[in-house]
Amino acid sequence: MGRISMTQRSKSGVRRLAAIVAVSVACTSLVQGTSAAETGVAYVSTASGLAVIDLGRLELARTVDLSSAVRGLAVTPDGKYVLAADEASGDVAVIDSTNLRVVRRVPIGKNPEFMRMQPDGARAYVTFEPAASGKPPGKGEKDDDSGPPAEVAAIDLSAWTARSFLTGGRETEGIEFSPDGKRLSVANEGDDTVTSYDKQIGKLVQTVDLHPFGNRPRGIKVSPDGTRYIVTMENSDNLVVLDAALKVEKTVPVAKGPYGVAFDESGQRLFVAAARAKLLQVFDARTFRKLADIPVGDRCWHFSLTPDQAYLLVACGRSNELRVVDAKTYRPVKSISGLKLAWGVVTYPKANGSLDTH
């Protein structure tokens, strides 16, 4: 091995020092709310706004108070803005991630809920329900399916304007993009369908009737290889597996009340939030053999992996917490409490989850 010169040692030392300084500055800035992207951050929607989680320390770093309960969340691909569906005000709050201030509001419509960011960041799509009360039904109650159907608004992020992009079915919930980017598919829990639209113009091109296979479709996710879609059926406690052309392949039984669904980055595992069973279930994504039942809290609808795939972050609404679980051993790591009616969670850098995909 050749000798290392003093100049090489000096340069190497400078690089190491620069890396240490960069990490230190990023961690400090996250706590102060000036920048979070470098260290990794999770955003959790709650009944009072937005909670910001430091993923380096797995601790609550900041909160952003908004006018009402927040549900759907999305992060721009560059991490600069967080979009939060603000229920009472009927708009989407746009939050600057560097200072956690609301910099604008984009009017949507009554009861904005589920949101997905287009992979290139040009648009975000938001479901809203003019007929709904905005509150989940109480025990023993049914949702009111009367009134006008749900709609999906498209936000143009270059102009920060929104328009009603398409009319969905009753109580439109999950949104997913086709692998080629040409279609947008939505799960309509009120009429047991999945509808698929031309993503450029919002024209309906296909309706999949799921009545024979279950009840109340909520979450929808396409596999990383693009070969199949998974739809969670909340009231029949099963999954419907669709092929790339949205033809039903099979159903898979799961625990009670499935909603959020996501693949891991490799596409080998499938995670399902079975909210009424208080479980996050793990399946082999090809054979659908169950790998694990992970106990979580009450009404855990949505979740995300961390950017390094090390942890699962599970938003548990009626437990008012974010559960942190080891993504390999499935053992509990910690609970971050005090998050009133936590609904959803997304991360930056982006990671696979029920509200987002890498």
Side-chain angles (χ1 to χ4, degrees):
M1 184 180 293
R3 292 185 177 181
I4 300 174
S5 70
M6 290 299 293
T7 300
Q8 289 174 311
R9 287 195 186 100
S10 177
K11 289 181 178 178
S12 177
V14 168
R15 284 195 295 268
R16 284 197 299 270
L17 178 60
I20 292 169
V21 170
V23 171
S24 175
V25 168
C27 291
T28 301
S29 63
L30 174 61
V31 175
Q32 295 174 343
T34 56
S35 177
E38 295 91 344
T39 58
V41 61
Y43 301 101
V44 183
S45 54
T46 74
S48 57
L50 190 70
V52 184
I53 308 298
D54 178 343
L55 293 180
R57 297 180 295 137
L58 293 175
E59 293 179 0
L60 177 65
R62 289 282 302 275
T63 58
V64 181
D65 293 333
L66 295 171
S67 59
S68 68
V70 172
R71 290 197 167 184
L73 294 173
V75 183
T76 54
D78 59 7
K80 186 174 181 180
Y81 298 108
V82 185
L83 280 63
D86 200 332
E87 181 181 280
S89 56
D91 60 25
V92 166
V94 180
I95 301 162
D96 188 324
S97 68
T98 60
N99 55 28
L100 297 179
R101 294 176 180 170
V102 177
V103 293
R104 59 179 55 85
R105 287 182 176 270
V106 183
I108 300 295
K110 186 179 178 183
N111 297 320
E113 187 166 345
F114 199 96
M115 190 180 335
R116 280 295 301 274
M117 177 71 65
Q118 193 167 292
D120 63 5
R123 286 179 175 177
Y125 297 87
V126 189
T127 66
F128 64 103
E129 302 177 0
S133 66
K135 297 179 181 179
K139 189 174 182 180
E141 297 178 347
K142 293 183 178 181
D143 288 312
D144 181 7
D145 295 337
S146 63
E151 299 180 44
V152 177
I155 301 176
D156 180 341
L157 271 68
S158 64
W160 295 110
T161 57
R163 63 186 177 91
S164 180
F165 186 66
L166 59 90
T167 298
R170 300 287 177 186
E171 297 179 75
T172 292
E173 289 289 330
I175 300 172
E176 183 58 295
F177 306 109
S178 61
D180 63 7
K182 294 181 179 180
R183 285 197 184 190
L184 181 151
S185 296
V186 299
N188 305 297
E189 64 170 315
D191 58 15
D192 296 333
T193 63
V194 166
T195 45
S196 189
Y197 304 84
D198 182 310
K199 195 164 68 63
Q200 290 300 312
I201 59 176
K203 180 182 178 181
L204 178 67
V205 294
Q206 188 175 359
T207 298
V208 184
D209 182 6
L210 297 179
H211 278 103
F213 309 102
N215 184 242
R216 299 196 81 79
R218 299 205 76 181
I220 181 170
K221 190 68 67 172
V222 69
S223 60
D225 64 5
T227 61
R228 54 180 42 164
Y229 291 78
I230 306 297
V231 181
T232 54
M233 307 295 284
E234 184 182 35
N235 279 7
S236 53
D237 307 329
N238 65 320
L239 308 175
V240 177
V241 182
L242 310 172
D243 67 13
L246 297 179
K247 294 179 66 175
V248 176
E249 288 187 341
K250 64 189 296 184
T251 62
V252 178
V254 298
K256 285 188 175 298
Y259 185 0
V261 58
F263 292 86
D264 69 1
E265 194 172 49
S266 69
Q268 296 180 2
R269 293 178 296 170
L270 178 72
F271 299 93
V272 179
R276 293 175 190 161
K278 302 180 184 180
L279 294 173
L280 184 67
Q281 297 191 293
V282 190
F283 296 88
D284 182 301
R286 297 193 180 277
T287 67
F288 297 100
R289 178 175 64 89
K290 188 170 68 176
L291 303 178
D293 281 339
I294 305 171
V296 288
D298 293 337
R299 207 198 70 182
C300 304
W301 276 346
H302 293 294
F303 60 89
S304 179
L305 286 149
T306 52
D308 60 4
Q309 306 280 295
Y311 301 108
L312 288 152
L313 309 172
V314 189
C316 298
R318 299 224 165 133
S319 297
N320 301 315
E321 64 181 340
L322 185 73
R323 290 284 184 100
V324 183
V325 177
D326 188 297
K328 292 182 179 179
T329 67
Y330 307 132
R331 293 176 180 172
V333 175
K334 69 184 300 184
S335 171
I336 301 172
S337 60
L339 307 181
K340 185 179 179 182
L341 294 177
W343 191 88
V345 54
V346 294
T347 72
Y348 190 81
K350 286 174 168 283
N352 293 60
S354 57
L355 299 182
D356 208 349
T357 189
H358 193 51

